[in-house]
């Protein structure tokens, strides 16, 4: 901007021409009074001629006198620092530089009122020298100021947020794809040092390596458009890679288009998934190799998910016929009552331990089992682990043993008393001592019971009592009825449980005529 003043005035100190109190100054004031930018007019003699309202507001003052009458007074009232926190020396003040004839643009300084610590404003300043049309000497010096405090405050907030954010992030400049910012989260995640990242390009430290949609990401990066989330692998400085989710968002920094890359570390998830996979593989191998018949089913609905080899061998059901079907539909249980009882326990949140039940095999055979269940989780599913212990052979053996004992007890004359006691306890080890007692028996019935406990058969009892065999059988039947048993061995066990072994009982013989 160049003016041709109609009235000129000289300073008292030299040959500089001044606009003070001239028509040109008044015209300039009229032109710039309403500008949003701050404008300070400076006389070549270093005195401040005038400032518009915007310039006064940018310094927090009401009038020109509060800015200072001269350049020196301005320096005394306002302290300037660069954005890197270095203090601006006196000769480097923008107002000094413009007086020295220096032409500059976009000098950014922080402005602090003298005597205070914190800066109030951030100014972006440029200079303008107005020369007379006929003379080379400057007629007026101009400082043009923009208040960029809000912009830099926003940038400071972004910088603080970016650095403090634990989510890993880097910013690259789109013009050359070089990283210009990196936060601590990215350094911690990758193990890189800050100087290893800054000024390197996106492909030096390839944040899109192995991305499942790498071509799309490269296309969006070239166009400066949003890069959607995708999985990628970042190479680590010490070797190896790290699985991440990466996404890109275009932003502007210092009026330059950039791309903000943010990351989510998937390595813990990958390790957890690997550990879970290995655990499930070990569980599957153990499950299939277990000698105990086992099955896995849904807790809700009791649908079978898996059965092991031992289960198919026990039941005869191949996996293809039973997996995916509810146990009730398979008709695994001997009857619906057993099924309802077991399913009710599981639905009620109870685990079974050694619950005796009968299972129906595919060929119709009945299998006595001890059933145990355990609530487990497979992935997100609530499941039940079933275990079956086949006790069919054991139960058959027990029945055979009892029958053998009863057969032997029919003639026990050659057994010792200790063997008799042991056999009796084996037959009925949990005899209940409540109910009928010895006092409920007549004297003669106690005599007969005593001889039974001694191991006598009916004939020997008849000889001992000197009665007919039919009489003995009648006494034995009444004893059975009173004490609630139906076998000789059970009667012995009943008597032994009450401390009656018959050894101390004196048996009195009766005449046949009165025995009945």
């Amino acid at each position: 901007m160049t003016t041709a003043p109609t009235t000129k005035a000289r300073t008292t100190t030299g040959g500089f021409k001044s606009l003070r109190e001239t028509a040109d100054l008044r015209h300039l004031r009229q032109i710039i009074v309403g500008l949003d930018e701050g404008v300070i007019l400076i006389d070549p003699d270093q005195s401040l001629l005038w400032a518009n309202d915007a310039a006064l507001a940018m310094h927090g003052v009401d009038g020109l006198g509060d800015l200072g009458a001269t350049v020196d007074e301005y320096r005394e009232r306002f302290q300037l620092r660069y954005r890197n926190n270095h203090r601006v020396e006196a000769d480097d003040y923008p107002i000094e530089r413009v007086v020295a004839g220096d032409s500059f643009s976009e000098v950014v300084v922080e402005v602090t009122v003298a005597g205070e610590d914190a800066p109030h404003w951030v100014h972006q300043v440029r200079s303008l020298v107005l020369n007379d049309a006929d003379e080379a000497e400057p007629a007026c010096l101009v400082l043009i100021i923009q208040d960029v405090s809000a912009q830099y405050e926003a940038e400071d907030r972004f910088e603080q947020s970016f650095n403090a954010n634990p989510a890993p992030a880097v910013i690259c400049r789109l013009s050359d794809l070089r990283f210009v910012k990196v936060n601590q989260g990215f350094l911690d995640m990758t193990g890189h040092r800050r100087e290893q990242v800054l000024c390197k390009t996106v492909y030096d430290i390839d944040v899109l390596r192995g991305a499942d949609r790498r071509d799309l990401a490269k296309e969006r990066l070239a166009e400066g458009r949003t890069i959607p989330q995708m999985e990628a692998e970042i190479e680590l400085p010490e070797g190896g890679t790290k699985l991440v989710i990466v996404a890109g968002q275009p932003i502007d920094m210092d009026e330059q288009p950039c791309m903000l890359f943010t990351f989510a570390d998937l390595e813990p998830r990958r390790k957890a998934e690997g550990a879970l996979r290995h655990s499930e593989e070990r569980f599957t191998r153990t499950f299939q190799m277990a000698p105990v018949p086992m099955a896995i089913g849904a807790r809700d609905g009791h649908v079978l998910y898996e059965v092991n080899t031992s289960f198919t061998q026990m039941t005869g059901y191949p996996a293809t016929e039973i997996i995916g079907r509810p146990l009730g539909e398979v008709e695994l249980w001997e009857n619906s009552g057993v099924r309802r009882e077991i399913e009710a326990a599981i639905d009620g949140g109870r685990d079974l331990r050694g619950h005796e039940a009968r299972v129906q095999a595919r060929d119709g055979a009945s299998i006595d089992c001890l059933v145990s269940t355990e609530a487990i989780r497979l992935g997100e599913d609530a499941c039940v682990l079933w275990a079956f212990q086949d006790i069919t052979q054991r139960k058959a053996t027990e029945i055979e043993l009892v029958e053998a004992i009863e057969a032997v007890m029919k003639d026990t004359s050659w057994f010792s008393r200790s063997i008799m006691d042991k056999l009796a306890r084996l037959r009925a080890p949990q005899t209940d001592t409540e109910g009928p007692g010895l006092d409920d028996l007549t004297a003669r019935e106690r005599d007969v019971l005593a001889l039974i406990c001694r191991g006598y058969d009916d004939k020997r009892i008849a000889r001992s009592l000197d009665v007919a065999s039919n009489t003995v059988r009648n006494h034995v039947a009444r004893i059975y009825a009173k004490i609630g048993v139906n076998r000789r061995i059970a009667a012995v066990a009943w008597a032994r449980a009450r401390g009656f072994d018959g050894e101390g009982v004196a048996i009195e013989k009766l005449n046949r005529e009165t025995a009945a």
Side-chain angles (χ1 to χ4, degrees):
M1 176 178 179
T2 305
T3 63
T6 57
T7 303
K8 302 176 183 177
R10 291 186 179 274
T11 67
T12 59
T13 58
F16 289 112
K17 296 182 179 180
S18 175
L19 289 180
R20 188 182 300 278
E21 301 303 328
T22 65
D24 285 340
L25 178 59
R26 290 193 295 274
H27 292 160
L28 280 174
R29 290 168 56 178
Q30 291 172 0
I31 292 171
I32 64 179
V33 66
L35 296 179
D36 291 334
E37 292 181 314
V39 179
I40 300 176
L41 302 182
I42 307 163
D43 195 82
D45 68 357
Q46 299 194 11
S47 61
L48 306 189
L49 295 175
W50 183 79
N52 67 351
D53 290 340
L56 298 177
M58 291 177 192
H59 289 81
V61 297
D62 297 323
L64 181 64
D66 296 323
L67 283 179
T70 65
V71 169
D72 290 340
E73 289 185 12
Y74 178 90
R75 285 202 317 271
E76 292 173 358
R77 297 181 183 187
F78 300 97
Q79 297 173 353
L80 307 186
R81 290 185 306 185
Y82 294 117
R83 289 282 295 161
N84 60 8
N85 212 33
H86 290 170
R87 184 170 181 173
V88 179
E89 299 298 332
D91 292 343
D92 291 329
Y93 268 54
I95 200 168
E96 286 280 5
R97 292 175 60 184
V98 72
V99 168
D102 190 5
S103 178
F104 55 88
S105 62
E106 297 186 359
V107 174
V108 178
V109 292
E110 294 177 346
V111 182
T112 304
V113 177
E116 298 183 7
D117 295 327
H120 282 271
W121 310 276
V122 179
H123 290 171
Q124 183 173 286
V125 186
R126 68 181 188 272
S127 66
L128 181 65
V129 179
L130 302 181
N131 294 323
D132 182 80
D134 301 325
E135 304 291 340
E137 295 85 358
C140 183
L141 308 171
V142 183
L143 273 185
I144 303 172
I145 307 170
Q146 285 183 306
D147 187 350
V148 292
S149 302
Q151 172 189 338
Y152 281 94
E153 285 174 4
E155 291 182 2
D156 287 342
R157 287 194 298 271
F158 172 80
E159 185 85 15
Q160 293 170 4
S161 174
F162 177 79
N163 290 328
N165 191 347
V170 291
I171 298 174
C172 81
R173 193 167 46 221
L174 291 181
S175 60
D176 56 7
L177 299 182
R178 293 190 179 278
F179 294 119
V180 293
K181 287 190 180 298
V182 56
N183 72 353
Q184 190 62 41
F186 183 86
L187 301 178
D188 292 339
M189 180 183 74
T190 62
H192 282 292
R193 297 190 305 275
R194 190 175 300 275
E195 60 271 18
Q196 288 179 311
V197 178
L198 296 179
C199 297
K200 296 292 182 66
T201 71
V202 169
Y203 299 111
D204 291 332
I205 300 176
D206 192 351
V207 296
L208 299 172
R209 181 184 183 274
D212 48 3
R213 289 181 287 171
R214 180 179 174 86
D215 291 340
L216 173 64
K218 291 172 64 177
E219 177 184 330
R220 293 287 184 88
L221 179 61
E223 296 171 353
R225 297 168 55 200
T226 299
I227 299 173
Q229 289 186 356
M230 59 186 67
E231 289 190 6
E233 289 189 338
I234 296 179
E235 286 187 306
L236 305 180
E238 301 300 325
T241 61
K242 178 157 287 193
L243 183 67
V244 298
I245 288 180
V246 60
Q249 180 64 40
I251 61 171
D252 286 337
M253 286 195 60
D254 298 330
E255 298 183 357
Q256 295 187 73
C258 297
M259 183 67 72
L260 168 65
F261 286 102
T262 55
F263 305 85
D265 188 353
L266 295 185
E267 199 61 29
R269 190 191 77 179
R270 179 160 69 175
K271 290 180 179 178
E273 288 176 348
L276 177 61
R277 184 172 58 256
H278 293 153
S279 176
E280 290 179 349
E281 289 173 354
R282 289 194 297 270
F283 173 80
T284 300
R285 288 196 299 269
T286 303
F287 175 80
Q288 289 296 341
M289 295 175 61
V292 177
M294 302 175 75
I296 299 173
R299 193 174 187 85
D300 183 17
H302 309 288
V303 175
L304 288 185
Y305 291 157
E306 189 63 78
V307 295
N308 69 353
T309 303
S310 298
F311 182 91
T312 61
Q313 291 174 347
M314 181 187 77
T315 64
Y317 284 102
T320 54
E321 287 188 17
I322 200 168
I323 290 177
R325 300 172 62 191
L327 288 176
E329 179 183 313
V330 177
E331 298 182 355
L332 185 68
W333 309 112
E334 183 183 42
N335 57 64
S336 58
V338 172
R339 175 179 61 81
R340 286 194 297 270
E341 179 184 359
I342 291 176
E343 291 183 356
I346 294 173
D347 293 339
R350 291 183 288 118
D351 292 325
L352 302 177
R353 290 292 182 271
H355 182 84
E356 190 168 337
R358 183 164 288 177
V359 170
Q360 197 79 21
R362 187 170 182 267
D363 60 5
S366 295
I367 306 170
D368 291 306
C369 290
L370 294 179
V371 180
S372 299
T373 64
E374 181 77 24
I376 62 172
R377 295 196 70 85
L378 289 181
E380 298 298 323
D381 298 328
C383 299
V384 176
L385 175 64
W386 298 79
F388 301 83
Q389 183 181 354
D390 186 350
I391 61 170
T392 306
Q393 186 62 40
R394 191 184 79 184
K395 292 199 69 171
T397 301
E398 289 177 354
I399 293 172
E400 291 173 357
L401 177 61
V402 169
E403 291 176 347
I405 291 173
E406 291 176 347
V408 169
M409 292 301 292
K410 291 179 180 179
D411 182 12
T412 59
S413 59
W414 54 280
F415 276 94
S416 69
R417 185 62 47 221
S418 63
I419 292 177
M420 287 285 293
D421 291 344
K422 291 178 181 178
L423 289 174
R425 293 190 185 98
L426 178 63
R427 176 63 182 86
Q430 301 296 328
T431 303
D432 189 357
T433 58
E434 296 182 2
L438 290 169
D439 293 340
D440 295 316
L441 302 178
T442 65
R444 178 51 66 190
E445 288 169 351
R446 286 197 294 273
D447 290 342
V448 172
L449 181 60
L451 295 175
I452 290 174
C453 290
R454 294 179 188 180
Y456 288 13
D457 59 12
D458 289 353
K459 291 181 179 180
R460 190 173 179 187
I461 293 174
R463 289 196 300 271
S464 299
L465 298 178
D466 196 18
V467 298
S469 296
N470 285 340
T471 302
V472 172
R473 284 194 290 272
N474 291 336
H475 283 309
V476 171
R478 283 195 292 271
I479 292 171
Y480 285 175
K482 287 182 178 181
I483 68 176
V485 301
N486 55 15
R487 289 183 175 84
R488 188 177 294 265
I489 187 65
V492 173
W494 182 89
R496 292 283 191 272
R498 289 157 180 77
F500 183 81
D501 60 5
E503 293 297 332
V505 178
I507 305 300
E508 181 181 353
K509 289 187 178 183
L510 297 178
N511 294 328
R512 291 180 180 274
E513 292 78 11
T514 62

